[in-house]
Amino acid sequence: MTLRTRPAHRIAIAPSGFKESLSAARVAEAIAVGVRRVIPDADLDLIPLVDGGEGTAEALALAGGGRLVPVTATGPVGEPVASHFAFLGGPGPLTAVVEMAAVAGLALVPPGLRHPGATTTYGVGELIRAALDAGARRILIGCGDSGTSDGGAGALQALGARLTDRHGRELRRGGGALHELERIDPSGLDPRLARTELLVACNPYNVLCGKRGVARVFGPQKGATPAEVELLSAGLERLADVLTRDLAPAFAPTIGTPIDLRTAPGTGASGGLGAGLAAVGARLLPRYDVLLDGLDLDARLARADFVITAEGALDHQTVRGKIPAEVARRAHAAGVPVLVLAGTIGPGAQDVRAVGVDAYSSILPAPMTLVEAIGRSGEFLADATERAMRIMALGTRLAPLAAA
């Protein structure tokens, strides 16, 4: 990997945030500190990126001249949490951004309560209603970093739907109850949904059901045992059946051409929230088509000599729609080399070379606990960037000798 020769190196820094640690903006700033230790006059372009998860609402509000609106809503374990949605600036219909992680994210689930069969997206529905009450006519729902696996059932309940078992009793919240679902009554759903544009920014690789269904892929990360994974999977299969039978027909004019709620791209987003919202007319869109709009990312990467991106964990899931893979794919198309810095390196990390990553490295200087790593992640990012830049500087000095 070599840097193009120019009076000042142009380096694009385009990372994601580090979950439960640093926002994307703070990650970018820490990397910039490390770069400037080695190349003080570097021309840096900081492009913090979001994927629909933590920090999405705030980042989009800041980028578009918008504002955050504080809301107290039901958190993933049923207790009230301080949350928010955002209004974007600019022309067009009043657009709100609802970040599901801000009310149902894994970071809001205490470690001892990480049981995805019990956690709920009820608060997501409350945020959507709050945005409607505030006048939103277009709502963008960012999916990512969820602590739930209820297929959006909780959000639908908060929006007025009744989910009942075979005895007509209201279903308890959480994905663990979905296998008991018998009927969904849409008559109480907020009528404003039918005249509001709902856009779900999601990872298209995530589907609701099947061998790669969301409960099987992400359930263990959220605390599910193997037996609970199978129960959650069965519940989401049942939910897809009942949504298709009872709910989607009521929103047929809004939905247009129906999708298969089991396997369509994005239906598994945020523990299946994508499927639940699609059943009430939301459009499931590849997240980067929505979230990167207005950043002019391709042109900014193409102008760089070198790109640095980052994420908390680099592993087999990175190539399935994570920010470093998206950045690398775009930079590779422009012929610009890419370095990925990661908190941890896991199985399958080497797969990122196939999408255009030239090199990757962990930021950890030594073995340590997760708590210590999270607490010092900004320091470690700056130091790891400095090490990487010094190695590359040495490489550029040695290149003429190798060619001689």
Side-chain angles (χ1 to χ4, degrees):
M1 184 183 347
T2 59
L3 304 181
R4 300 179 202 168
T5 302
R6 282 187 183 143
H9 292 303
R10 296 179 180 174
I11 301 174
I13 300 173
S16 69
F18 278 29
K19 312 307 181 190
E20 303 182 58
S21 177
L22 298 176
S23 68
R26 290 184 63 194
V27 171
E29 291 164 2
I31 292 172
V33 168
V35 171
R36 293 205 184 280
R37 290 175 185 170
V38 183
I39 312 177
D41 63 344
D43 180 1
L44 302 184
D45 185 8
L46 274 59
I47 319 170
L49 300 175
V50 292
D51 61 3
E54 293 176 14
T56 292
E58 181 178 12
L60 294 184
L62 289 173
R67 59 188 173 92
L68 286 180
V69 180
V71 179
T72 297
T74 303
V77 298
E79 298 294 327
V81 298
S83 188
H84 58 263
F85 67 89
F87 274 127
L88 301 184
L94 186 59
T95 300
V97 179
V98 169
E99 173 193 320
M100 82 85 58
V103 73
L106 187 61
L108 297 175
V109 184
L113 297 177
R114 292 191 172 179
H115 307 295
T119 50
T120 179
T121 55
Y122 196 89
V124 178
E126 291 178 318
L127 290 187
I128 291 173
R129 292 193 85 147
L132 291 170
D133 291 342
R137 291 296 172 262
R138 185 173 181 261
I139 301 177
L140 170 62
I141 298 101
C143 289
D145 304 328
S146 73
T148 58
S149 190
D150 72 350
L156 294 175
Q157 289 173 315
L159 290 167
R162 290 193 71 240
L163 282 68
T164 56
D165 63 17
R166 62 189 180 91
H167 301 293
R169 298 174 300 203
E170 189 78 24
L171 215 64
R172 68 184 186 278
R173 296 177 193 171
L178 291 177
H179 67 285
E180 302 172 6
L181 178 63
E182 182 64 27
R183 182 170 181 266
I184 299 177
D185 178 3
S187 61
L189 276 167
D190 193 315
R192 294 173 294 183
L193 293 172
R195 55 180 184 270
T196 302
E197 185 180 15
L198 299 177
L199 307 176
V200 180
C202 54
N203 187 339
Y205 288 100
N206 294 342
V207 299
L208 188 68
C209 302
K211 292 181 179 179
R212 296 290 303 173
V214 67
R216 291 191 170 92
V217 174
F218 295 106
Q221 296 178 13
K222 300 174 184 180
T225 66
E228 288 169 336
V229 165
E230 293 310 310
L231 180 67
L232 290 170
S233 296
L236 293 174
E237 291 274 1
R238 179 60 184 162
L239 177 65
D241 287 341
V242 181
L243 285 173
T244 302
R245 184 194 69 199
D246 294 350
L247 198 52
F251 284 83
T254 304
I255 295 172
T257 303
I259 64 172
D260 185 340
L261 295 179
R262 295 173 187 81
T263 60
T267 52
S270 288
L273 176 65
L277 294 177
V280 294
R283 286 192 290 149
L284 308 184
L285 302 173
R287 55 188 174 184
Y288 299 122
D289 290 356
V290 179
L291 300 174
L292 302 185
D293 185 35
L295 287 180
D296 198 22
L297 181 60
D298 289 333
R300 292 168 75 176
L301 295 178
R303 285 196 294 267
D305 299 306
F306 178 54
V307 173
I308 303 175
T309 183
E311 71 169 335
L314 192 73
D315 55 27
H316 67 280
Q317 292 185 14
T318 301
V319 296
R320 297 180 63 83
K322 296 293 187 71
I323 281 175
E326 182 70 12
V327 169
R329 182 180 65 79
R330 292 169 182 250
H332 181 72
V336 181
V338 177
L339 167 69
V340 180
L341 298 174
T344 60
I345 305 293
Q350 68 278 2
D351 296 344
V352 297
R353 294 194 181 99
V355 295
V357 172
D358 293 277
Y360 59 83
S361 176
S362 170
I363 66 171
L364 299 181
M368 64 186 64
T369 66
L370 179 60
V371 172
E372 183 180 4
I374 288 175
R376 301 177 64 186
S377 53
E379 170 193 345
F380 291 156
L381 267 167
D383 291 347
T385 303
E386 179 184 359
R387 289 194 299 270
M389 298 305 297
R390 292 197 184 283
I391 290 171
M392 286 186 288
L394 176 62
T396 59
R397 292 172 62 185
L398 293 177
L401 298 176

PDB file of all heavy atoms in Angstrom, residues 11-46:
ATOM      1  N   ILE A  11      -6.305  12.665   3.288  1.00  0.00           N
ATOM      2  CA  ILE A  11      -6.749  11.447   3.957  1.00  0.00           C
ATOM      3  C   ILE A  11      -8.206  11.599   4.357  1.00  0.00           C
ATOM      4  O   ILE A  11      -8.572  12.549   5.069  1.00  0.00           O
ATOM      5  CB  ILE A  11      -5.883  11.132   5.194  1.00  0.00           C
ATOM      6  CG1 ILE A  11      -4.422  10.961   4.767  1.00  0.00           C
ATOM      7  CG2 ILE A  11      -6.392   9.887   5.915  1.00  0.00           C
ATOM      8  CD1 ILE A  11      -3.467  10.788   5.929  1.00  0.00           C
ATOM      9  N   ALA A  12      -9.027  10.685   3.884  1.00  0.00           N
ATOM     10  CA  ALA A  12     -10.436  10.661   4.279  1.00  0.00           C
ATOM     11  C   ALA A  12     -10.587   9.725   5.472  1.00  0.00           C
ATOM     12  O   ALA A  12     -10.095   8.594   5.455  1.00  0.00           O
ATOM     13  CB  ALA A  12     -11.310  10.191   3.120  1.00  0.00           C
ATOM     14  N   ILE A  13     -11.244  10.199   6.503  1.00  0.00           N
ATOM     15  CA  ILE A  13     -11.477   9.405   7.714  1.00  0.00           C
ATOM     16  C   ILE A  13     -12.980   9.175   7.804  1.00  0.00           C
ATOM     17  O   ILE A  13     -13.750  10.107   8.099  1.00  0.00           O
ATOM     18  CB  ILE A  13     -10.943  10.133   8.955  1.00  0.00           C
ATOM     19  CG1 ILE A  13      -9.436  10.383   8.815  1.00  0.00           C
ATOM     20  CG2 ILE A  13     -11.243   9.334  10.217  1.00  0.00           C
ATOM     21  CD1 ILE A  13      -8.852  11.240   9.917  1.00  0.00           C
ATOM     22  N   ALA A  14     -13.408   7.947   7.512  1.00  0.00           N
ATOM     23  CA  ALA A  14     -14.835   7.653   7.374  1.00  0.00           C
ATOM     24  C   ALA A  14     -15.226   6.438   8.221  1.00  0.00           C
ATOM     25  O   ALA A  14     -15.477   5.354   7.693  1.00  0.00           O
ATOM     26  CB  ALA A  14     -15.181   7.410   5.904  1.00  0.00           C
ATOM     27  N   PRO A  15     -15.283   6.599   9.540  1.00  0.00           N
ATOM     28  CA  PRO A  15     -15.557   5.459  10.420  1.00  0.00           C
ATOM     29  C   PRO A  15     -17.021   5.385  10.852  1.00  0.00           C
ATOM     30  O   PRO A  15     -17.795   6.340  10.704  1.00  0.00           O
ATOM     31  CB  PRO A  15     -14.692   5.783  11.632  1.00  0.00           C
ATOM     32  CG  PRO A  15     -14.818   7.278  11.733  1.00  0.00           C
ATOM     33  CD  PRO A  15     -14.914   7.796  10.308  1.00  0.00           C
ATOM     34  N   SER A  16     -17.369   4.241  11.432  1.00  0.00           N
ATOM     35  CA  SER A  16     -18.612   4.133  12.185  1.00  0.00           C
ATOM     36  C   SER A  16     -18.301   4.408  13.647  1.00  0.00           C
ATOM     37  O   SER A  16     -17.134   4.581  14.035  1.00  0.00           O
ATOM     38  CB  SER A  16     -19.204   2.733  12.039  1.00  0.00           C
ATOM     39  OG  SER A  16     -18.400   1.784  12.709  1.00  0.00           O
ATOM     40  N   GLY A  17     -19.325   4.441  14.478  1.00  0.00           N
ATOM     41  CA  GLY A  17     -19.107   4.560  15.898  1.00  0.00           C
ATOM     42  C   GLY A  17     -18.687   3.227  16.505  1.00  0.00           C
ATOM     43  O   GLY A  17     -18.810   2.172  15.882  1.00  0.00           O
ATOM     44  N   PHE A  18     -18.163   3.280  17.706  1.00  0.00           N
ATOM     45  CA  PHE A  18     -17.844   2.086  18.478  1.00  0.00           C
ATOM     46  C   PHE A  18     -18.978   1.899  19.484  1.00  0.00           C
ATOM     47  O   PHE A  18     -19.180   2.744  20.354  1.00  0.00           O
ATOM     48  CB  PHE A  18     -16.507   2.242  19.213  1.00  0.00           C
ATOM     49  CG  PHE A  18     -15.302   1.955  18.345  1.00  0.00           C
ATOM     50  CD1 PHE A  18     -15.328   2.173  16.977  1.00  0.00           C
ATOM     51  CD2 PHE A  18     -14.140   1.467  18.907  1.00  0.00           C
ATOM     52  CE1 PHE A  18     -14.217   1.914  16.185  1.00  0.00           C
ATOM     53  CE2 PHE A  18     -13.020   1.202  18.132  1.00  0.00           C
ATOM     54  CZ  PHE A  18     -13.058   1.426  16.764  1.00  0.00           C
ATOM     55  N   LYS A  19     -19.714   0.815  19.359  1.00  0.00           N
ATOM     56  CA  LYS A  19     -20.912   0.605  20.145  1.00  0.00           C
ATOM     57  C   LYS A  19     -20.625   0.700  21.642  1.00  0.00           C
ATOM     58  O   LYS A  19     -19.639   0.167  22.134  1.00  0.00           O
ATOM     59  CB  LYS A  19     -21.533  -0.757  19.828  1.00  0.00           C
ATOM     60  CG  LYS A  19     -21.678  -1.056  18.337  1.00  0.00           C
ATOM     61  CD  LYS A  19     -22.409   0.023  17.566  1.00  0.00           C
ATOM     62  CE  LYS A  19     -22.548  -0.327  16.090  1.00  0.00           C
ATOM     63  NZ  LYS A  19     -23.030   0.794  15.277  1.00  0.00           N
ATOM     64  N   GLU A  20     -21.514   1.408  22.336  1.00  0.00           N
ATOM     65  CA  GLU A  20     -21.447   1.582  23.786  1.00  0.00           C
ATOM     66  C   GLU A  20     -20.155   2.267  24.213  1.00  0.00           C
ATOM     67  O   GLU A  20     -19.725   2.150  25.354  1.00  0.00           O
ATOM     68  CB  GLU A  20     -21.610   0.243  24.517  1.00  0.00           C
ATOM     69  CG  GLU A  20     -22.907  -0.492  24.191  1.00  0.00           C
ATOM     70  CD  GLU A  20     -23.077  -1.780  24.962  1.00  0.00           C
ATOM     71  OE1 GLU A  20     -23.063  -1.736  26.212  1.00  0.00           O
ATOM     72  OE2 GLU A  20     -23.231  -2.832  24.318  1.00  0.00           O
ATOM     73  N   SER A  21     -19.511   3.000  23.284  1.00  0.00           N
ATOM     74  CA  SER A  21     -18.237   3.620  23.608  1.00  0.00           C
ATOM     75  C   SER A  21     -18.122   5.015  23.011  1.00  0.00           C
ATOM     76  O   SER A  21     -18.247   6.013  23.716  1.00  0.00           O
ATOM     77  CB  SER A  21     -17.089   2.739  23.125  1.00  0.00           C
ATOM     78  OG  SER A  21     -15.849   3.335  23.353  1.00  0.00           O
ATOM     79  N   LEU A  22     -17.897   5.097  21.698  1.00  0.00           N
ATOM     80  CA  LEU A  22     -17.655   6.373  21.032  1.00  0.00           C
ATOM     81  C   LEU A  22     -18.598   6.559  19.850  1.00  0.00           C
ATOM     82  O   LEU A  22     -18.857   5.615  19.106  1.00  0.00           O
ATOM     83  CB  LEU A  22     -16.213   6.443  20.508  1.00  0.00           C
ATOM     84  CG  LEU A  22     -15.075   6.379  21.520  1.00  0.00           C
ATOM     85  CD1 LEU A  22     -13.738   6.352  20.776  1.00  0.00           C
ATOM     86  CD2 LEU A  22     -15.128   7.575  22.463  1.00  0.00           C
ATOM     87  N   SER A  23     -19.074   7.777  19.666  1.00  0.00           N
ATOM     88  CA  SER A  23     -19.841   8.095  18.471  1.00  0.00           C
ATOM     89  C   SER A  23     -18.922   8.096  17.260  1.00  0.00           C
ATOM     90  O   SER A  23     -17.692   8.144  17.384  1.00  0.00           O
ATOM     91  CB  SER A  23     -20.497   9.469  18.606  1.00  0.00           C
ATOM     92  OG  SER A  23     -19.493  10.485  18.601  1.00  0.00           O
ATOM     93  N   ALA A  24     -19.512   8.053  16.072  1.00  0.00           N
ATOM     94  CA  ALA A  24     -18.702   8.087  14.853  1.00  0.00           C
ATOM     95  C   ALA A  24     -17.877   9.363  14.778  1.00  0.00           C
ATOM     96  O   ALA A  24     -16.728   9.345  14.332  1.00  0.00           O
ATOM     97  CB  ALA A  24     -19.608   7.964  13.622  1.00  0.00           C
ATOM     98  N   ALA A  25     -18.439  10.486  15.236  1.00  0.00           N
ATOM     99  CA  ALA A  25     -17.696  11.748  15.202  1.00  0.00           C
ATOM    100  C   ALA A  25     -16.478  11.689  16.125  1.00  0.00           C
ATOM    101  O   ALA A  25     -15.385  12.149  15.763  1.00  0.00           O
ATOM    102  CB  ALA A  25     -18.614  12.897  15.613  1.00  0.00           C
ATOM    103  N   ARG A  26     -16.639  11.090  17.299  1.00  0.00           N
ATOM    104  CA  ARG A  26     -15.506  11.003  18.230  1.00  0.00           C
ATOM    105  C   ARG A  26     -14.466  10.001  17.731  1.00  0.00           C
ATOM    106  O   ARG A  26     -13.254  10.196  17.950  1.00  0.00           O
ATOM    107  CB  ARG A  26     -16.005  10.627  19.618  1.00  0.00           C
ATOM    108  CG  ARG A  26     -16.804  11.735  20.298  1.00  0.00           C
ATOM    109  CD  ARG A  26     -17.185  11.351  21.707  1.00  0.00           C
ATOM    110  NE  ARG A  26     -16.001  11.152  22.544  1.00  0.00           N
ATOM    111  CZ  ARG A  26     -16.034  10.550  23.726  1.00  0.00           C
ATOM    112  NH1 ARG A  26     -17.178  10.080  24.197  1.00  0.00           N
ATOM    113  NH2 ARG A  26     -14.928  10.401  24.435  1.00  0.00           N
ATOM    114  N   VAL A  27     -14.897   8.948  17.059  1.00  0.00           N
ATOM    115  CA  VAL A  27     -13.934   8.020  16.455  1.00  0.00           C
ATOM    116  C   VAL A  27     -13.108   8.749  15.401  1.00  0.00           C
ATOM    117  O   VAL A  27     -11.879   8.623  15.345  1.00  0.00           O
ATOM    118  CB  VAL A  27     -14.655   6.807  15.841  1.00  0.00           C
ATOM    119  CG1 VAL A  27     -13.681   5.965  15.015  1.00  0.00           C
ATOM    120  CG2 VAL A  27     -15.288   5.947  16.932  1.00  0.00           C
ATOM    121  N   ALA A  28     -13.785   9.515  14.540  1.00  0.00           N
ATOM    122  CA  ALA A  28     -13.076  10.253  13.491  1.00  0.00           C
ATOM    123  C   ALA A  28     -12.072  11.233  14.092  1.00  0.00           C
ATOM    124  O   ALA A  28     -10.939  11.369  13.602  1.00  0.00           O
ATOM    125  CB  ALA A  28     -14.078  10.985  12.605  1.00  0.00           C
ATOM    126  N   GLU A  29     -12.465  11.906  15.164  1.00  0.00           N
ATOM    127  CA  GLU A  29     -11.563  12.876  15.799  1.00  0.00           C
ATOM    128  C   GLU A  29     -10.337  12.184  16.400  1.00  0.00           C
ATOM    129  O   GLU A  29      -9.216  12.700  16.304  1.00  0.00           O
ATOM    130  CB  GLU A  29     -12.326  13.641  16.878  1.00  0.00           C
ATOM    131  CG  GLU A  29     -13.379  14.588  16.306  1.00  0.00           C
ATOM    132  CD  GLU A  29     -14.383  15.042  17.356  1.00  0.00           C
ATOM    133  OE1 GLU A  29     -14.227  14.632  18.541  1.00  0.00           O
ATOM    134  OE2 GLU A  29     -15.308  15.777  17.005  1.00  0.00           O
ATOM    135  N   ALA A  30     -10.544  11.009  17.012  1.00  0.00           N
ATOM    136  CA  ALA A  30      -9.413  10.282  17.604  1.00  0.00           C
ATOM    137  C   ALA A  30      -8.438   9.820  16.528  1.00  0.00           C
ATOM    138  O   ALA A  30      -7.208   9.889  16.708  1.00  0.00           O
ATOM    139  CB  ALA A  30      -9.927   9.090  18.407  1.00  0.00           C
ATOM    140  N   ILE A  31      -8.971   9.353  15.402  1.00  0.00           N
ATOM    141  CA  ILE A  31      -8.102   8.932  14.291  1.00  0.00           C
ATOM    142  C   ILE A  31      -7.326  10.130  13.761  1.00  0.00           C
ATOM    143  O   ILE A  31      -6.127  10.031  13.458  1.00  0.00           O
ATOM    144  CB  ILE A  31      -8.942   8.266  13.189  1.00  0.00           C
ATOM    145  CG1 ILE A  31      -9.513   6.933  13.692  1.00  0.00           C
ATOM    146  CG2 ILE A  31      -8.111   8.050  11.926  1.00  0.00           C
ATOM    147  CD1 ILE A  31     -10.513   6.292  12.745  1.00  0.00           C
ATOM    148  N   ALA A  32      -7.992  11.274  13.668  1.00  0.00           N
ATOM    149  CA  ALA A  32      -7.323  12.481  13.169  1.00  0.00           C
ATOM    150  C   ALA A  32      -6.145  12.861  14.065  1.00  0.00           C
ATOM    151  O   ALA A  32      -5.089  13.289  13.578  1.00  0.00           O
ATOM    152  CB  ALA A  32      -8.317  13.629  13.082  1.00  0.00           C
ATOM    153  N   VAL A  33      -6.303  12.695  15.378  1.00  0.00           N
ATOM    154  CA  VAL A  33      -5.201  12.987  16.304  1.00  0.00           C
ATOM    155  C   VAL A  33      -3.997  12.111  15.975  1.00  0.00           C
ATOM    156  O   VAL A  33      -2.850  12.592  15.908  1.00  0.00           O
ATOM    157  CB  VAL A  33      -5.645  12.757  17.763  1.00  0.00           C
ATOM    158  CG1 VAL A  33      -4.436  12.771  18.700  1.00  0.00           C
ATOM    159  CG2 VAL A  33      -6.657  13.810  18.186  1.00  0.00           C
ATOM    160  N   GLY A  34      -4.231  10.823  15.743  1.00  0.00           N
ATOM    161  CA  GLY A  34      -3.135   9.917  15.418  1.00  0.00           C
ATOM    162  C   GLY A  34      -2.463  10.253  14.102  1.00  0.00           C
ATOM    163  O   GLY A  34      -1.222  10.171  13.979  1.00  0.00           O
ATOM    164  N   VAL A  35      -3.247  10.640  13.103  1.00  0.00           N
ATOM    165  CA  VAL A  35      -2.671  11.009  11.803  1.00  0.00           C
ATOM    166  C   VAL A  35      -1.753  12.223  11.952  1.00  0.00           C
ATOM    167  O   VAL A  35      -0.621  12.248  11.443  1.00  0.00           O
ATOM    168  CB  VAL A  35      -3.774  11.310  10.769  1.00  0.00           C
ATOM    169  CG1 VAL A  35      -3.172  11.908   9.500  1.00  0.00           C
ATOM    170  CG2 VAL A  35      -4.555  10.045  10.433  1.00  0.00           C
ATOM    171  N   ARG A  36      -2.219  13.229  12.686  1.00  0.00           N
ATOM    172  CA  ARG A  36      -1.459  14.480  12.775  1.00  0.00           C
ATOM    173  C   ARG A  36      -0.167  14.332  13.578  1.00  0.00           C
ATOM    174  O   ARG A  36       0.742  15.149  13.443  1.00  0.00           O
ATOM    175  CB  ARG A  36      -2.340  15.579  13.364  1.00  0.00           C
ATOM    176  CG  ARG A  36      -3.479  15.975  12.441  1.00  0.00           C
ATOM    177  CD  ARG A  36      -3.938  17.399  12.710  1.00  0.00           C
ATOM    178  NE  ARG A  36      -5.094  17.753  11.892  1.00  0.00           N
ATOM    179  CZ  ARG A  36      -5.045  18.129  10.625  1.00  0.00           C
ATOM    180  NH1 ARG A  36      -3.858  18.170  10.019  1.00  0.00           N
ATOM    181  NH2 ARG A  36      -6.130  18.455   9.964  1.00  0.00           N
ATOM    182  N   ARG A  37      -0.075  13.304  14.389  1.00  0.00           N
ATOM    183  CA  ARG A  37       1.191  13.053  15.082  1.00  0.00           C
ATOM    184  C   ARG A  37       2.300  12.693  14.091  1.00  0.00           C
ATOM    185  O   ARG A  37       3.482  12.912  14.367  1.00  0.00           O
ATOM    186  CB  ARG A  37       1.029  11.918  16.086  1.00  0.00           C
ATOM    187  CG  ARG A  37       0.176  12.251  17.289  1.00  0.00           C
ATOM    188  CD  ARG A  37      -0.024  11.008  18.150  1.00  0.00           C
ATOM    189  NE  ARG A  37      -0.928  11.234  19.275  1.00  0.00           N
ATOM    190  CZ  ARG A  37      -1.398  10.271  20.050  1.00  0.00           C
ATOM    191  NH1 ARG A  37      -1.021   8.995  19.828  1.00  0.00           N
ATOM    192  NH2 ARG A  37      -2.212  10.542  21.044  1.00  0.00           N
ATOM    193  N   VAL A  38       1.915  12.132  12.967  1.00  0.00           N
ATOM    194  CA  VAL A  38       2.895  11.680  11.973  1.00  0.00           C
ATOM    195  C   VAL A  38       2.955  12.628  10.783  1.00  0.00           C
ATOM    196  O   VAL A  38       4.032  12.920  10.253  1.00  0.00           O
ATOM    197  CB  VAL A  38       2.545  10.249  11.495  1.00  0.00           C
ATOM    198  CG1 VAL A  38       3.594   9.733  10.508  1.00  0.00           C
ATOM    199  CG2 VAL A  38       2.424   9.303  12.679  1.00  0.00           C
ATOM    200  N   ILE A  39       1.800  13.118  10.342  1.00  0.00           N
ATOM    201  CA  ILE A  39       1.743  14.035   9.191  1.00  0.00           C
ATOM    202  C   ILE A  39       0.997  15.284   9.636  1.00  0.00           C
ATOM    203  O   ILE A  39      -0.220  15.416   9.425  1.00  0.00           O
ATOM    204  CB  ILE A  39       1.026  13.385   7.979  1.00  0.00           C
ATOM    205  CG1 ILE A  39       1.572  11.981   7.717  1.00  0.00           C
ATOM    206  CG2 ILE A  39       1.181  14.252   6.737  1.00  0.00           C
ATOM    207  CD1 ILE A  39       0.862  11.253   6.582  1.00  0.00           C
ATOM    208  N   PRO A  40       1.672  16.229  10.268  1.00  0.00           N
ATOM    209  CA  PRO A  40       0.995  17.398  10.841  1.00  0.00           C
ATOM    210  C   PRO A  40       0.223  18.226   9.818  1.00  0.00           C
ATOM    211  O   PRO A  40      -0.778  18.856  10.165  1.00  0.00           O
ATOM    212  CB  PRO A  40       2.143  18.208  11.454  1.00  0.00           C
ATOM    213  CG  PRO A  40       3.236  17.203  11.685  1.00  0.00           C
ATOM    214  CD  PRO A  40       3.112  16.219  10.567  1.00  0.00           C
ATOM    215  N   ASP A  41       0.710  18.251   8.569  1.00  0.00           N
ATOM    216  CA  ASP A  41       0.055  19.089   7.576  1.00  0.00           C
ATOM    217  C   ASP A  41      -0.902  18.306   6.688  1.00  0.00           C
ATOM    218  O   ASP A  41      -1.310  18.778   5.619  1.00  0.00           O
ATOM    219  CB  ASP A  41       1.099  19.783   6.697  1.00  0.00           C
ATOM    220  CG  ASP A  41       1.933  18.783   5.889  1.00  0.00           C
ATOM    221  OD1 ASP A  41       1.909  17.573   6.235  1.00  0.00           O
ATOM    222  OD2 ASP A  41       2.603  19.215   4.930  1.00  0.00           O
ATOM    223  N   ALA A  42      -1.309  17.116   7.117  1.00  0.00           N
ATOM    224  CA  ALA A  42      -2.223  16.305   6.310  1.00  0.00           C
ATOM    225  C   ALA A  42      -3.541  17.055   6.092  1.00  0.00           C
ATOM    226  O   ALA A  42      -4.042  17.750   6.973  1.00  0.00           O
ATOM    227  CB  ALA A  42      -2.494  14.975   6.988  1.00  0.00           C
ATOM    228  N   ASP A  43      -4.086  16.906   4.898  1.00  0.00           N
ATOM    229  CA  ASP A  43      -5.387  17.475   4.537  1.00  0.00           C
ATOM    230  C   ASP A  43      -6.439  16.420   4.888  1.00  0.00           C
ATOM    231  O   ASP A  43      -6.617  15.445   4.156  1.00  0.00           O
ATOM    232  CB  ASP A  43      -5.409  17.803   3.049  1.00  0.00           C
ATOM    233  CG  ASP A  43      -6.727  18.403   2.589  1.00  0.00           C
ATOM    234  OD1 ASP A  43      -7.625  18.580   3.438  1.00  0.00           O
ATOM    235  OD2 ASP A  43      -6.879  18.669   1.381  1.00  0.00           O
ATOM    236  N   LEU A  44      -7.103  16.591   6.025  1.00  0.00           N
ATOM    237  CA  LEU A  44      -8.014  15.575   6.533  1.00  0.00           C
ATOM    238  C   LEU A  44      -9.465  15.920   6.208  1.00  0.00           C
ATOM    239  O   LEU A  44      -9.896  17.066   6.387  1.00  0.00           O
ATOM    240  CB  LEU A  44      -7.858  15.420   8.051  1.00  0.00           C
ATOM    241  CG  LEU A  44      -6.466  15.063   8.560  1.00  0.00           C
ATOM    242  CD1 LEU A  44      -6.501  14.858  10.071  1.00  0.00           C
ATOM    243  CD2 LEU A  44      -5.935  13.824   7.859  1.00  0.00           C
ATOM    244  N   ASP A  45     -10.197  14.924   5.765  1.00  0.00           N
ATOM    245  CA  ASP A  45     -11.629  15.060   5.521  1.00  0.00           C
ATOM    246  C   ASP A  45     -12.336  14.084   6.460  1.00  0.00           C
ATOM    247  O   ASP A  45     -12.319  12.873   6.237  1.00  0.00           O
ATOM    248  CB  ASP A  45     -11.950  14.744   4.060  1.00  0.00           C
ATOM    249  CG  ASP A  45     -13.418  14.983   3.726  1.00  0.00           C
ATOM    250  OD1 ASP A  45     -14.154  15.523   4.570  1.00  0.00           O
ATOM    251  OD2 ASP A  45     -13.841  14.630   2.601  1.00  0.00           O
ATOM    252  N   LEU A  46     -12.930  14.592   7.525  1.00  0.00           N
ATOM    253  CA  LEU A  46     -13.601  13.745   8.498  1.00  0.00           C
ATOM    254  C   LEU A  46     -15.045  13.505   8.058  1.00  0.00           C
ATOM    255  O   LEU A  46     -15.810  14.463   7.863  1.00  0.00           O
ATOM    256  CB  LEU A  46     -13.567  14.383   9.891  1.00  0.00           C
ATOM    257  CG  LEU A  46     -12.319  14.121  10.746  1.00  0.00           C
ATOM    258  CD1 LEU A  46     -11.056  14.618  10.059  1.00  0.00           C
ATOM    259  CD2 LEU A  46     -12.469  14.741  12.128  1.00  0.00           C
TER     260      LEU A  46
END
